[in-house]
Amino acid sequence: MVGNGAGLRSGQVAEMTGVSPDTIRHYERIGILPHPPRSCGGYRLYSADVIERVHLVRRALQLGFTLAELSEILRVRDKGGIPCRRVLHLAEEKLRSLEHQIAELRQTQTYMKSLVRQWRSKLALTDPSSKALLLHSLIDDGSSLPNTKKKLRRRK
Amino acid sequence: MVGNGAGLRSGQVAEMTGVSPDTIRHYERIGILPHPPRSCGGYRLYSADVIERVHLVRRALQLGFTLAELSEILRVRDKGGIPCRRVLHLAEEKLRSLEHQIAELRQTQTYMKSLVRQWRSKLALTDPSSKALLLHSLIDDGSSLPNTKKKLRRRK
DNA sequence: CTTGACTCTGGAATCGATTCCAGGGTGCAT
DNA sequence: ATGCACCCTGGAATCGATTCCAGAGTCAAG
């Protein structure tokens, strides 16, 4: 084992934060983690505080921040800047789109529920050789479903 | 204008269904729309019932079906099969994951709300040269957020 | 000194639906 | 015969976060 007085290797950081070593390297590539010093053999030697940073990033990702945003924010912070207002602004934005998205999903849920109920009973009293009853009921009835379902979701 | 007694060109279908001509061609490529007959000049000439099919597909996509699933289902149906039970099964699955996803989002929403409130007041009574107060509050407090945020979303 | 676990590199692949592209025809109007 | 709007092809790009890859190097234990 390499002496860990010198620092944490990428795999150790990965394990301690619950992500893959690939992800750690990726975060470094896009400027979210600093370039750590290297051992004589070329291994990254992280100081313990990257753990906090990775946790922070994971949590922010869950909230809907993107890696690009985090990279920008953390860069500012690392240069001594104060990105707090930016962070708050982004958070407010995420919250709004979150609420919007929930509303859409619930609308879809409502529709879907009635659809499944309707399909179940229809299927129950149809003899098993009849056709094409289910999907077909989707073609009319153009309301009751949101249409702006962009991929505004987050996290792997 | 080409006589439309012969059929609808891709652009017309596109306009009537609110998608792009590219999408129409794409649907044909992956087997969701049948290969239509062609005009002497090589233009696709669709019969009017593709309109219904495209609408059906759009609606199913909104519900969380994938193009691959729809392709499979529609292929079965076009060969005279009866994919209804499959459709119902998938719909039930979509509904479940929808409910799960809503639950997660609401959890995130709750957390996010309190975070924004907390950040707002914290920022209000901090002099504008203090640093790093906001994001930092993410690193502890590991509960209260879902962690299985796969991209189980739908639709463009 | 060999084995095996770990790490390095950076470019490509993945997921899914859609869009974009270039180079080339079609068809109707002036 | 010239313009213009439309259509054809199929392969590649897009979005974002992560993963995968091959070929190579490091290091401690046996």
Side-chain angles (χ1 to χ4, degrees):
Chain A
M1 185 68 111
V2 77
N4 53 3
L8 300 163
R9 279 166 306 150
S10 56
Q12 295 179 298
V13 173
E15 194 181 7
M16 294 165 84
T17 53
V19 306
S20 74
D22 268 322
T23 297
I24 297 295
R25 289 193 310 102
H26 182 54
Y27 286 179
E28 180 184 337
R29 275 203 269 209
I30 63 178
I32 276 190
L33 294 180
H35 301 292
R38 301 297 186 104
S39 75
C40 52
Y43 289 6
R44 289 170 178 77
L45 293 179
Y46 288 103
S47 66
D49 51 0
V50 290
I51 305 292
E52 271 191 354
R53 179 167 284 212
V54 174
H55 277 138
L56 182 155
V57 168
R58 301 306 285 180
R59 202 149 293 278
L61 282 178
Q62 287 167 5
L63 293 177
F65 287 83
T66 67
L67 287 180
E69 288 164 348
L70 291 170
S71 173
E72 177 219 324
I73 290 167
L74 292 172
R75 246 187 266 266
V76 170
R77 212 184 61 173
D78 287 347
K79 287 193 306 189
I82 306 170
C84 291
R85 311 199 93 86
R86 171 110 177 94
V87 169
L88 178 56
H89 178 76
L90 282 173
E92 287 167 334
E93 227 171 57
K94 308 296 181 198
L95 181 54
R96 271 195 299 275
S97 75
L98 192 53
E99 283 163 346
H100 180 243
Q101 198 198 349
I102 290 174
E104 277 191 351
L105 287 188
R106 301 187 72 186
Q107 200 179 341
T108 302
Q109 182 193 29
T110 300
Y111 181 72
M112 193 94 182
K113 260 185 188 162
S114 77
L115 203 60
V116 164
R117 203 174 311 130
Q118 175 193 334
W119 282 357
R120 276 204 193 110
S121 55
K122 215 187 254 178
L123 197 55
L125 41 85
T126 303
D127 89 284
S129 62
S130 300
K131 26 177 327 196
L133 68 166
L134 298 190
L135 266 186
H136 207 264
S137 55
L138 290 180
I139 54 185
D140 8 72
D141 164 33
S143 60
S144 66
L145 266 182
N147 49 358
T148 52
K149 304 262 184 68
K150 302 245 165 71
K151 35 180 167 180
L152 41 93
R153 276 314 313 297
R154 57 200 185 296
R155 256 285 261 167
K156 162 255 157 92
Chain B
M1 186 68 112
V2 76
N4 54 3
L8 299 162
R9 280 167 303 149
S10 56
Q12 295 178 298
V13 173
E15 195 182 5
M16 293 166 85
T17 53
V19 306
S20 74
D22 267 322
T23 298
I24 297 296
R25 288 194 310 103
H26 182 54
Y27 286 178
E28 179 183 337
R29 273 203 270 208
I30 63 178
I32 276 189
L33 294 181
H35 301 291
R38 301 298 185 106
S39 75
C40 50
Y43 290 6
R44 288 170 178 79
L45 293 179
Y46 288 102
S47 66
D49 52 359
V50 290
I51 304 292
E52 270 190 355
R53 179 169 283 212
V54 174
H55 278 138
L56 181 155
V57 168
R58 301 306 285 179
R59 201 149 295 277
L61 282 178
Q62 287 167 7
L63 291 178
F65 286 83
T66 66
L67 287 181
E69 288 165 348
L70 291 169
S71 172
E72 178 220 323
I73 290 168
L74 291 173
R75 247 186 265 267
V76 169
R77 213 184 62 174
D78 288 347
K79 287 193 306 190
I82 306 171
C84 292
R85 310 199 94 87
R86 172 108 176 95
V87 169
L88 178 57
H89 178 76
L90 283 173
E92 286 167 335
E93 227 171 57
K94 306 298 180 196
L95 180 55
R96 272 195 299 276
S97 75
L98 193 52
E99 282 163 347
H100 181 244
Q101 198 198 349
I102 290 174
E104 277 191 351
L105 287 189
R106 300 187 71 185
Q107 200 178 339
T108 302
Q109 181 193 30
T110 299
Y111 181 71
M112 193 96 182
K113 259 184 188 163
S114 77
L115 203 59
V116 164
R117 204 175 310 130
Q118 176 193 333
W119 282 358
R120 275 203 192 111
S121 55
K122 213 187 257 176
L123 197 55
L125 41 85
T126 303
D127 88 284
S129 61
S130 301
K131 25 176 330 197
L133 69 166
L134 298 190
L135 266 187
H136 206 265
S137 55
L138 291 180
I139 54 186
D140 7 72
D141 165 33
S143 62
S144 64
L145 266 183
N147 49 357
T148 52
K149 304 260 185 67
K150 302 244 165 70
K151 35 181 167 178
L152 42 93
R153 276 314 311 297
R154 57 198 185 296
R155 257 284 264 164
K156 159 252 161 86

